[in-house]
Amino acid sequence: MESSNTLHLRGVKMNLSKSRYCEAIQCNKMLWLDINYPNLKMNVDNSSTLDTGTEVGILAKDLFGQHVDIEFDKNLQSMVDKTKEVLEREKKVIVTEASFLYKNNFCSVDILIKNNDKYEIYEVKSSTEVKDIYIDDISYQTYVLKQLGLNVVKSSLVYLNHFYERHGELNLKKLFVIEDVTNKVLEKQDEVEDKIKEINSYMKKTEVNDDIGLQCVKPYDCPFFEYCTRNLEKPNLFTIKGMRYNKKISFYKNGIYTYKDLLKEDIDEKSREQIEFELYDKKDKINKDKIREFLKTLSYPLYFLDFETFQQSIPMYDNIRTNEKIPFQYSLHYIETEFGKLKHKEFLAETGVDPRRSLAERLVEDIPLNVCTLAYNMGFEKSVIKNLATLYPDLEHHLMNIHDNIKDLMIPFLNRDYYSKEMYGSYSIKYVSPALFPDDQSLNYHNLEDVHNGGEAMDTFKNLEKLSKEEQEKLRQSLLKYCELDTYSMVKIYEKLKKI
């Protein structure tokens, strides 16, 4: 739904690249907006993903041995010229970031192998699976090279092996999977040519009015979604938690997107409840019997546990799999008797070392055997503890005892035994806590410095080693305060349930 003041083409010159081509594969309008009005993007922090992709790309360059690297240059023609010089000079050579320009179509090939007059293309991804958009990506590159007269005989995707576990030196041959997709790429060459023509034509439009659809979330969430839905009455079906996006789009295409319209449709109970609470400003829904049943499953001493983890696409330590969640921190509030004083313990690993052993040892010191431990969304905490127990047999008995005695504080909110309008259909602690305690600034994550959510905690810890000692200490304190707030929020929620 476009407004009357539709944006107009700014006349920005466009060179197509493999990333822009893939953006247009998802949605032409997204590319048009990205080129002409990038300031309209939602504030999406993908720095961690970009960093991971860069690390994986650099490592993959050594996969085939000695190579010539074409360094990045803002002057794309310079990269093209350097590539041409290397390929004309060498009969057999491996070139990384080999760059080519055909008309206004540019691409840098992650790894290019030249063997006399035959060329092989290898596109590196930090994913652990092949996605359709990756085929589009390498098909575009193959097209550009073929149009320049190069004999591309093989096109392959290089991605991470999900099952690789490091033992000793990093084994690149096992870390990476190389999948030949030549046949799929060749089948797409006419499609690529047609798509390039379509893109060039579309980019000349003075205004765009394409409506939203499934392309807004597949293969990636579009950063312009808020702009494209800016004229929809709020709240609307896209603010409903839990409803599948394809069902939302089906309603939308049939002109059904307001809360009032949705109430007339066949929707699930929780969605209907969210809508009714919002429309009719209903009072809090509290099922005291169910909450009482839940509280009876708990006992003192009572421990409140929250982990923070990070992932390594490239395992840096032994016995770590690709993208395995590695715990580096926990916060632990505990109450020993019903009217006892609230106490707190915490752990934050040193940087540059595998944190798991020291964390596991501290955890079994801090949580006694046979006590009740509360987590929020316990599946995560239980999986972390189970992995530690598998890794350290000498600690297995105690760790699994903790594991088996964990209860989930999320249950009353997941089951909607406690629900308020301010939870906006969510049972996440980041929604539940402010809904229950709207005026308690001590529970406001926005008041924290540097670290406000799990993603920021992960990125902060991963990057600590690169900083000065002073910066490290400041950020370590921010990490501790963030994690402590998670378990303190759990304590306050528990106390709220008790008062009810």
Side-chain angles (χ1 to χ4, degrees), residues 284-297 411-413 415-419 494 496-500:
D284 292 1
K285 170 190 171 186
I286 302 174
N287 188 329
K288 292 185 178 182
D289 290 337
K290 288 291 185 180
I291 291 173
R292 189 176 293 112
E293 284 179 22
F294 170 75
L295 292 174
K296 284 180 179 179
T297 67
I411 293 299
F413 307 99
N415 293 341
R416 295 277 177 93
D417 295 324
Y418 194 135
Y419 181 72
Y494 167 72
K496 180 83 170 182
L497 293 178
K498 279 185 65 181
K499 287 179 181 177
I500 292 169

Side-chain angles (χ1 to χ4, degrees), residues 228-243:
C228 292
T229 57
R230 68 197 181 284
N231 294 320
L232 287 179
E233 175 184 310
K234 291 189 172 53
N236 56 60
L237 82 166
F238 295 109
T239 60
I240 295 176
K241 296 285 194 299
M243 184 184 290

